[in-house]
């Protein structure tokens, strides 16, 4: 388990009537605060780890994923992952049900991946650094 990060992932619920920018700004402030808190708790000789945190901003329908390192914020994609729900999705034989199921699988796949990544972040810090820098270079 990553000992330095008290908050592994910051999740912000964004109200549909609010502007998405407000939800992203709130999440980024949470990430900055968590990172600063964790940095203050760190031992002086413990500077070889690569610190990063994940952020999630969601309206429950739309899911935005962030990667935060001090001074750099990356968004997982320009478009959010979406979970489409309608009353028709209650019928397991419907196309809407399959759309709902696929959306939930995609979102949960990302969330599980983030949790797995944070759970073993201390094990291979150099490999994590290379992978995170690879994500950034694709943007």
């Amino acid at each position: 388990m990553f000992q330095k990060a008290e908050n592994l992932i910051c999740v912000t619920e964004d109200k549909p009537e609010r502007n998405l920018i407000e939800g992203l700004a709130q999440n980024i402030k949470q990430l900055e605060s968590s990172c600063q808190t964790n940095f203050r708790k760190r031992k002086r000789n413990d500077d070889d780890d690569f610190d990063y945190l994940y952020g999630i901003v969601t309206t429950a329908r739309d899911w935005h994923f962030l990667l935060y390192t001090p001074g750099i914020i990356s968004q997982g994609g320009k478009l959010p992952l979406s979970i489409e729900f309608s009353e028709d999705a209650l019928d397991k034989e419907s196309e809407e049900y399959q759309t709902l199921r696929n959306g939930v699988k995609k979102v949960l796949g990302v969330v599980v991946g983030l949790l797995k990544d944070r759970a073993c972040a201390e094990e291979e810090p150099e490999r994590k650094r290379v992978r995170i820098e690879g994500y950034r270079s694709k943007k």
Side-chain angles (χ1 to χ4, degrees), residues 11-13 18 21-31:
V11 180
T12 303
E13 174 193 11
R18 281 193 342 188
I21 301 302
E22 290 177 38
L24 290 170
Q26 179 184 349
N27 192 266
I28 291 167
K29 286 304 263 178
Q30 290 171 333
L31 291 166

Side-chain angles (χ1 to χ4, degrees), residues 10-30 56-60 62 64 66:
C10 294
V11 180
T12 303
E13 174 193 11
D14 189 27
K15 307 284 190 238
E17 64 273 4
R18 281 193 342 188
N19 184 334
L20 171 64
I21 301 302
E22 290 177 38
L24 290 170
Q26 179 184 349
N27 192 266
I28 291 167
K29 286 304 263 178
Q30 290 171 333
I56 301 172
V57 179
T58 182
T59 61
D62 295 328
H64 299 267
L66 302 174

Side-chain angles (χ1 to χ4, degrees), residues 7 19 25 27 38 42 57 69 75 84 86 88 99 115 122 134 137:
N7 297 316
N19 184 334
N27 192 266
N38 293 329
R42 171 180 285 175
V57 179
T69 56
Q75 191 168 350
E84 302 282 337
S86 67
D88 295 337
T99 300
L115 291 171
E122 193 174 79
S137 67

Side-chain angles (χ1 to χ4, degrees), residues 85-102:
F85 179 78
S86 67
E87 197 170 315
D88 295 337
L90 298 174
D91 176 10
K92 289 186 178 183
E93 304 301 319
S94 70
E95 186 176 318
E96 290 81 1
Y97 176 81
Q98 288 304 317
T99 300
L100 171 65
R101 185 177 173 171
N102 291 339

Side-chain angles (χ1 to χ4, degrees), residues 63-125:
W63 293 72
H64 299 267
F65 297 93
L66 302 174
L67 172 67
Y68 176 86
T69 56
I72 303 173
I73 302 157
S74 302
Q75 191 168 350
K78 292 185 181 191
L79 296 175
L81 291 181
S82 292
I83 297 176
E84 302 282 337
F85 179 78
S86 67
E87 197 170 315
D88 295 337
L90 298 174
D91 176 10
K92 289 186 178 183
E93 304 301 319
S94 70
E95 186 176 318
E96 290 81 1
Y97 176 81
Q98 288 304 317
T99 300
L100 171 65
R101 185 177 173 171
N102 291 339
V104 169
K105 277 184 172 182
K106 283 181 185 177
V107 168
L108 288 179
V110 172
V111 171
V112 167
L114 299 180
L115 291 171
K116 282 182 177 179
D117 181 71
R118 294 306 302 154
C120 64
E122 193 174 79
E123 293 174 12
E124 301 177 42

